[in-house]
């Protein structure tokens, strides 16, 4: 059978440890036999980042802007232990942070739902996608531990020397203060990324903050979203038959618990951090979670939500068998290939992506899965496979569909 042809290359960002091993197996077993795979390859493995003084990460982000679609393997974010382990010149920044900043992107995460791995919330029939604003608020704060009685003020000094001053609190004893901020430009990008992604995936968009209490700060988020929606997206949403609405975060939480799923929930930075952990835990496993970074001008970077699975990698190095779940990494590839197929009008590539996902889920539904899933599945007859056997089982399934 002739291999599926591609037009534009995908930006391929290779990574570290166990996920780097899975990356190669996925390419060899599930992609290269079927696709004349065109990629522009960037090795974001820590050794190569160190050799290039992290230039490779910057180059890969620039290539993503140029071509429009990237697929990324999990990478190590160096800490003190990694400095010695890899003999690093510097404690290089998180590649995800660098890429996110370059693309001004928003991260959308959704659980991969499959029969046999049911979410704790029984009525969640479809995945809930979480969109988390990735700039500012408490993640860029300034804090003071107040030693005793005194007056705390909030002061803004304009470039022209003008001043806005408000009293935070007249302290009569010790306490704490925190200063946080956000910028309209970042909130606008966040809003546009959410609206574009909702249109792209034909799902309703919910946005929630605590504007009843935070009458200026949170209200600003609400107003920016509404303004951009009315001016740029309302007609497109109507045409697509989808809805945007704003609600109070308390109300959103209550509604989410009773909903069927199949929508996007946009959250401020902190809310998104907490709520995405809640949704992913309720759905069973971090290894069953997709993640895509979307820029406001429609550039996409697909990846798995989990890390490099270090513990499994050390087992692998010592010659022990591993049972590492490759589903999220496979879905990063299928997501990127499908998007490339859509942009280049290659229906065959899109249909291959669909088949690859179906073959992967079908393998799990037939009872063949990695150990992390055997522990949580409701299926009765299950076989725990090792990393390689699982990918080979998907290959067999895929082969029968081609
Ligand atoms: P992790 O790699 O996500 O793994 C944490 C634990 O979750 C694993 O030890 C494993 O549990 C389980 N797990 C995660 N993915 C799995 C999979 N695919 N199959 C089976 N089990 C899985 O997080 P980490 O250990 O905290 O971080 C390791 C490295 O990844 C760090 O250097 C960190 O910087 C990096 N990281 C990268 C990204 C990214 O590139 N997007 C994200 C997060 C972390 P058991 O050991 O109990 O089996
Ligand atoms: Mg968190």
């Amino acid at each position: 059978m002739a291999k599926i042809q591609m037009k534009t290359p995908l930006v391929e960002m290779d990574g570290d440890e166990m996920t780097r091993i899975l990356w190669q197996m996925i390419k060899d077993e599930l992609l290269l036999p079927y696709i004349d795979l065109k990629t522009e390859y960037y090795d974001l493995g820590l050794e190569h980042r160190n050799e290039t003084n992290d230039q490779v990460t910057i180059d890969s982000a620039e290539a993503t802007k140029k071509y429009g679609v990237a697929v990324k393997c999990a990478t190590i974010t160096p800490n003190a232990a990694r400095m010695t382990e890899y003999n690093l010149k510097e404690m290089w920044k998180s590649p995800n942070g660098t890429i996110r900043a370059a693309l001004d992107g928003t991260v959308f995460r959704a659980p991969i739902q499959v029969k046999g791995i049911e979410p704790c919330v029984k009525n969640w029939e479809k995945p809930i996608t979480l969109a988390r604003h990735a700039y500012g608020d408490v993640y860029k704060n300034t804090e003071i531990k107040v030693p005793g009685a005194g007056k705390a003020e909030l002061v803004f000094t304009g470039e022209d020397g003008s001043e806005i001053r408000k009293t935070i609190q007249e302290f009569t004893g010790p306490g704490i203060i925190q200063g946080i901020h956000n910028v309209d430009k970042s909130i606008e990008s966040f809003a546009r990324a959410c609206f574009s992604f909702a249109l792209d995936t034909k799902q309703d968009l919910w946005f929630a903050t605590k504007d009843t209490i935070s009458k200026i700060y949170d209200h600003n988020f609400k107003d920016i979203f509404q303004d951009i929606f009315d001016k740029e997206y309302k007609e497109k949403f109507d045409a697509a038959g989808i809805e945007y609405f704003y609600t109070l975060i308390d109300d959103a939480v209550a509604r989410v618990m009773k909903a069927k799923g199949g929508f996007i929930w946009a959250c401020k930075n902190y809310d998104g951090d907490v709520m995405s952990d809640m949704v992913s835990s309720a759905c069973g496993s971090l290894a069953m979670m997709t993640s895509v970074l979307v820029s406001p001008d429609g550039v996409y970077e697909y990846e798995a939500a989990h890390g490099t699975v270090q513990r499994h990698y050390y087992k692998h190095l010592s010659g022990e068998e591993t049972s590492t779940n490759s589903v999220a990494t496979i879905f990063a590839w299928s997501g990127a290939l499908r998007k490339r197929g859509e942009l280049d009008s290659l229906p065959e590539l899109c249909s291959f992506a669909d088949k690859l996902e179906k073959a992967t889920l079908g393998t799990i539904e037939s009872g063949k899965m990695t150990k992390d899933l055997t522990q949580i599945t409701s299926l009765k007859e299950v076989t725990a496979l090792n990393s390689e056997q699982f990918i080979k089982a998907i290959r067999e399934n895929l082969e029968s569909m081609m």
Side-chain angles (χ1 to χ4, degrees):
M1 207 189 71
K3 287 190 187 181
I4 299 166
Q5 296 298 309
M6 292 177 67
K7 283 185 194 156
T8 319
L10 271 179
V11 177
E12 175 184 356
M13 302 169 174
D14 207 344
D16 288 299
E17 302 195 311
M18 201 58 212
T19 41
R20 190 181 179 98
I21 309 279
L22 297 178
W23 195 259
Q24 196 58 50
M25 287 186 197
I26 292 168
K27 281 175 68 178
D28 290 343
E29 287 290 332
L30 305 176
L31 304 176
L32 292 170
Y34 307 102
I35 307 173
D36 197 4
L37 195 64
K38 261 196 190 164
T39 71
E40 192 162 296
Y41 180 85
Y42 292 87
D43 183 1
L44 301 199
L46 186 50
E47 277 169 16
H48 193 238
R49 273 183 277 149
N50 192 51
E51 278 162 23
T52 63
N53 296 327
D54 209 23
Q55 185 61 37
V56 64
T57 308
I58 296 160
D59 293 346
S60 72
E62 287 309 315
T64 306
K65 283 197 218 166
K66 177 175 161 196
Y67 292 114
V69 187
V71 56
K72 182 180 170 293
C73 180
T75 46
I76 293 169
T77 298
N79 56 14
R82 302 295 198 168
M83 292 291 288
T84 5
E85 185 184 354
Y86 285 84
N87 194 17
L88 299 180
K89 295 186 238 175
E90 252 181 62
M91 205 184 283
W92 306 110
K93 284 192 216 157
S94 148
N96 288 47
T98 303
I99 296 164
R100 203 180 295 154
L103 301 185
D104 188 18
T106 297
V107 176
F108 296 85
R109 288 196 163 175
I112 299 162
Q113 281 181 218
V114 57
K115 263 184 245 125
I117 318 285
E118 281 81 23
C120 309
V121 183
K122 293 283 172 261
N123 43 284
W124 288 356
E125 289 165 15
K126 291 182 187 167
I128 294 170
T129 302
L130 244 132
R132 171 184 172 189
H133 186 209
Y135 177 83
D137 303 349
V138 286
Y139 299 85
K140 228 170 161 23
N141 65 6
T142 306
E143 302 180 314
I144 297 176
K145 186 152 172 54
V146 173
K151 182 178 177 180
E153 289 180 295
L154 196 57
V155 184
F156 169 79
T157 315
E159 272 183 338
D160 61 358
S162 64
E163 201 179 86
I164 307 173
R165 184 179 288 266
K166 286 186 178 181
T167 301
I168 297 171
Q169 179 70 0
E170 305 265 6
F171 283 93
T172 55
I176 38 180
I177 332 171
Q178 179 180 58
I180 61 168
H181 82 281
N182 222 299
V183 290
D184 286 1
K185 190 169 172 292
S186 172
I187 302 169
E188 286 161 10
S189 294
F190 174 47
R192 288 199 177 90
C194 290
F195 291 130
S196 305
F197 194 72
L199 279 171
D200 199 43
T201 58
K202 296 225 168 14
Q203 297 185 88
D204 288 346
L205 176 68
W206 304 18
F207 181 45
T209 73
K210 191 73 177 174
D211 66 296
T212 46
I213 300 298
S214 175
K215 289 187 186 348
I216 293 177
Y217 197 102
D218 279 15
H219 216 284
N220 190 54
F221 278 82
K222 176 183 174 180
D223 289 345
I224 287 176
F225 264 70
Q226 196 61 50
D227 195 43
I228 291 178
F229 178 70
D230 292 342
K231 285 192 186 131
E232 300 172 29
Y233 292 94
K234 189 171 184 328
E235 281 171 22
K236 292 179 195 158
F237 269 55
D238 288 345
I242 57 172
E243 192 188 0
Y244 163 67
F245 68 84
Y246 174 87
T247 186
L248 200 61
I249 185 103
D250 320 42
D251 179 52
V253 168
R255 283 208 217 179
V256 161
M257 285 303 160
K258 294 192 182 118
K260 287 197 160 66
F263 55 88
I264 301 162
W265 183 11
C267 289
K268 283 174 61 197
N269 211 348
Y270 173 81
D271 299 335
D273 184 353
V274 179
M275 295 307 168
S276 65
D277 282 350
M278 183 195 72
V279 171
S280 66
S281 312
C283 291
S285 167
L286 206 56
M288 297 292 284
M289 191 90 175
T290 61
S291 187
V292 56
L293 176 73
V294 183
S295 81
D297 46 355
V299 168
Y300 294 75
E301 183 248 305
Y302 293 83
E303 59 178 25
H306 58 78
T308 60
V309 213
Q310 182 182 13
R311 219 177 55 79
H312 295 208
Y313 181 59
Y314 289 161
K315 272 174 79 177
H316 170 82
L317 287 183
S318 69
E320 278 179 70
E321 188 172 82
T322 59
S323 180
T324 315
N325 188 333
S326 45
V327 173
T329 307
I330 293 170
F331 272 63
W333 274 102
S334 58
L337 289 168
R338 183 184 295 106
K339 179 52 73 182
R340 200 61 273 167
E342 283 168 17
L343 295 175
D344 292 347
S345 307
L346 296 170
E348 265 193 277
L349 196 59
C350 298
S351 129
F352 175 79
D354 295 343
K355 283 179 190 153
L356 177 57
E357 292 180 358
K358 233 176 129 193
T360 305
L361 299 181
T363 303
I364 298 172
E365 284 168 1
S366 75
K368 295 177 191 162
M369 56 191 84
T370 44
K371 267 187 196 150
D372 56 316
L373 298 184
T374 57
Q375 288 161 8
I376 56 171
T377 184
S378 59
L379 296 177
K380 296 285 175 285
E381 306 255 317
V382 295
T383 323
L385 302 182
N386 68 31
S387 308
E388 202 173 358
Q389 287 167 339
F390 180 63
I391 290 173
K392 289 234 157 91
I394 297 171
R395 166 81 184 268
E396 247 176 63
N397 236 343
L398 185 60
E399 198 69 40
S400 71
M401 291 162 79
M402 296 305 286

